[in-house]
Amino acid sequence: MEVGPKGVIEAYPHRNKESRGFFISFEGTESSGKTTQAKQLRDWLESQGFSVILTREPGGTPLGEEIRSFLLDHSNGEICPLTEAYLFAAARAQLVMTIIRPALEAGTTVICDRYIDSSLAYQGYGLGVSLATIWKVNEPAIDLAMPDLTFLLGSGALLQSAMKKEPEDRIEARDSGFHQRVRAGYVRLMKRFPQRIVWVDTRRGVAPTACDIQRKVAGLINL
Ligand code: TYD
C-alpha cells in the first residue's frame, strides 16, 4: 500500500454523491502544458453549454495566492517538508471551502490546475514526507472533494517537461534528484489510481492533445 493508511483514498467515493458538478484536475511536471490544456478544456466545455470554473493550486483565492507567493519565493529558502505540506494543504482548504465545494454543489464543473496529487508527488515522493501524513493533513482540507478525473500531462516515458528553461521559483530550483522523484512518484500514483488518473502524452502538440482530453471528458459526462 503506497498511499495513506490501508485503502484510505479508495475508501472515499469516486464522486461525492451530494456534488452535482464534475471535478477535473490537471497534474504534471513544470512546463508540461497543464495550464494551456486546462484553459482549452474550459473553453470547450463552455462551448458545450457547461458552466465551468477554472482555478489553480496553490492559489485560486486571495489567501491561497498569498500562500502561493510565500511558497514559491526563492528568498524564503528551504521550508521544512512537513511545514510545506501544511501550507499547501492550508491553501487547498481555503480553495475547497470557498470555491470548489460550493461550485460542485451548484452543479458547476470545476477544473483545477494541480490538486492533492501534487502534494503526494512533490512533498510525498519528492521530499519524503510519508504519503500517510500527506493524506492525514489533506483529508480535512479536501472534505471528500476528490476529482472525478485527473489528467497527468507530460512528454515521453518519464514525464519530461516539454521545454527546458531556467527555474522560476523555489520549488523548480530544487535539484534534479528531487524532480526525478516527483516524476517517478506521479507514475506510481497513476498506476495506483488507474480509474482516476489518465496519462496524456503532449508530444503531438496542443490541438491533438486537447482533442484527446475532450474525448475522455465526453466519456465522463456522457456527451
Ligand atoms: P506553478 O508555477 O503553478 O507550477 P506549474 O506551472 O508547473 O504548475 O507552481 C506551483 C509549484 O508548486 C510547482 O512546482 C508544484 C508545486 N506544488 C507542490 O509542491 N505541492 C502542491 O501540493 C502543489 C499544489 C504544488
Side-chain angles (χ1 to χ4, degrees):
M1 179 65 199
E2 286 181 9
V3 180
K6 199 164 176 28
V8 74
I9 287 192
E10 291 93 325
Y12 278 78
H14 175 58
R15 176 153 177 256
N16 181 356
K17 290 191 179 55
E18 287 157 32
S19 68
R20 285 174 288 130
F22 290 93
F23 184 11
I24 297 162
S25 62
F26 281 82
E27 295 283 351
T29 51
E30 284 77 10
S31 309
S32 57
K34 290 178 289 78
T35 307
T36 304
Q37 290 299 334
K39 284 184 186 153
Q40 296 259 332
L41 180 61
R42 180 213 35 213
D43 294 348
W44 178 73
L45 280 169
E46 283 180 348
S47 75
Q48 302 297 311
F50 285 82
S51 146
V52 185
I53 283 182
L54 170 59
T55 188
R56 70 167 180 180
E57 281 209 357
T61 64
L63 175 62
E65 292 293 329
E66 291 279 330
I67 296 174
R68 176 190 178 88
S69 305
F70 184 89
L71 279 164
L72 299 187
D73 185 348
H74 283 288
S75 65
N76 288 321
E78 273 308 304
I79 299 172
C80 295
L82 183 61
T83 310
E84 194 173 288
Y86 272 114
L87 287 170
F88 278 109
R92 184 164 298 133
Q94 186 71 9
L95 184 64
V96 169
M97 304 307 159
T98 64
I99 307 278
I100 293 180
R101 177 160 289 291
L104 292 175
E105 285 171 4
T108 300
T109 293
V110 175
I111 301 173
C112 198
D113 186 349
R114 296 193 181 279
Y115 196 59
I116 172 76
D117 297 299
S118 285
S119 287
L120 293 165
Y122 283 76
Q123 283 65 53
Y125 288 106
L127 291 182
V129 179
S130 84
L131 300 190
T133 299
I134 300 285
W135 182 248
K136 254 190 245 169
V137 165
N138 276 277
E139 191 178 359
I142 282 177
D143 190 27
L144 298 185
M146 278 298 281
D148 299 290
L149 200 54
T150 296
F151 291 107
L152 177 57
L153 268 55
S155 63
L158 257 181
L159 295 164
Q160 302 292 355
S161 297
M163 298 174 272
K164 293 269 174 262
K165 60 179 180 74
E166 284 301 301
E168 278 175 3
D169 61 53
R170 197 182 60 85
I171 292 178
E172 276 185 35
R174 284 183 177 144
D175 63 28
S176 61
F178 169 80
H179 291 288
Q180 230 166 334
R181 290 193 297 280
V182 170
R183 288 196 290 271
Y186 269 130
V187 173
R188 293 175 83 162
L189 289 171
M190 181 176 62
K191 290 187 175 152
R192 182 93 201 115
F193 304 110
Q195 301 294 327
R196 177 176 63 84
I197 304 182
V198 177
W199 159 248
V200 181
D201 192 331
T202 56
R203 276 177 295 184
R204 286 183 305 132
V206 172
T209 303
C211 283
D212 286 351
I213 290 172
Q214 287 164 16
R215 257 195 304 276
K216 290 277 178 203
V217 172
L220 172 73
I221 61 187
N222 294 322
L223 260 182

